[in-house]
Amino acid sequence: MGKFIRTATVAGVLGATALLAVPAASATPTATGTTGRAAPECVTDSQTYEYGRGEIKVCVENGQARMTGWVEDLLPQVGWWGGRDGACVLWRVTFRTTSGTEREGSVMACPHLAGPAYKEFDFTSDVQNITGIEKMSLTTSVF
């Protein structure tokens, strides 16, 4: 009887250990967020300013980022340097990488350079070895 109890106890401990190990073994590592905690695979943001507005979603997988969303220039007068603010509107994303921080901009809404005032984008970032997203901001750029 004592041998049966020991065998049942060992089997129970091994079974419980196996059940506890499954979630940890199946968990996938994620990029580190700005707070130092594990960040979700995708980060979204939307911002509106007097010069423009937009939404962005950045998904990081295997060290590369897919960037999707839209931007709109709200001061869009057409013609070279004719915009009321003289600037294009874009999302700027700062990534943390294995070699430091790198910044990248999205597709621009640039009506004063003969582009549309509203622009959608969906592309894979050129930045490699991404470990996290440090900052996303809607901004302007003058050429």
Side-chain angles (χ1 to χ4, degrees), residues 42-46 56-58 136:
C42 294
V43 178
T44 59
D45 194 9
S46 63
I56 188 170
K57 180 178 182 179
V58 180
M136 298 189 316

Side-chain angles (χ1 to χ4, degrees), residues 10-79:
V10 170
V13 168
L14 290 176
T17 303
L19 287 176
L20 291 174
V22 170
S26 65
T28 55
T30 58
T32 303
T34 56
T35 60
R37 295 177 294 146
E41 292 177 358
C42 294
V43 178
T44 59
D45 194 9
S46 63
Q47 295 177 12
T48 300
Y49 298 101
E50 69 176 18
Y51 59 81
R53 62 184 170 192
E55 291 183 7
I56 188 170
K57 180 178 182 179
V58 180
C59 296
V60 177
E61 185 176 345
N62 298 323
Q64 289 192 297
R66 185 83 176 166
M67 299 169 65
T68 59
W70 59 272
V71 291
E72 183 176 13
D73 190 330
L74 298 177
L75 301 174
Q77 291 178 351
V78 177

Side-chain angles (χ1 to χ4, degrees), residues 95-102:
F95 294 108
R96 281 193 305 279
T97 70
T98 55
S99 60
T101 58
E102 291 191 42

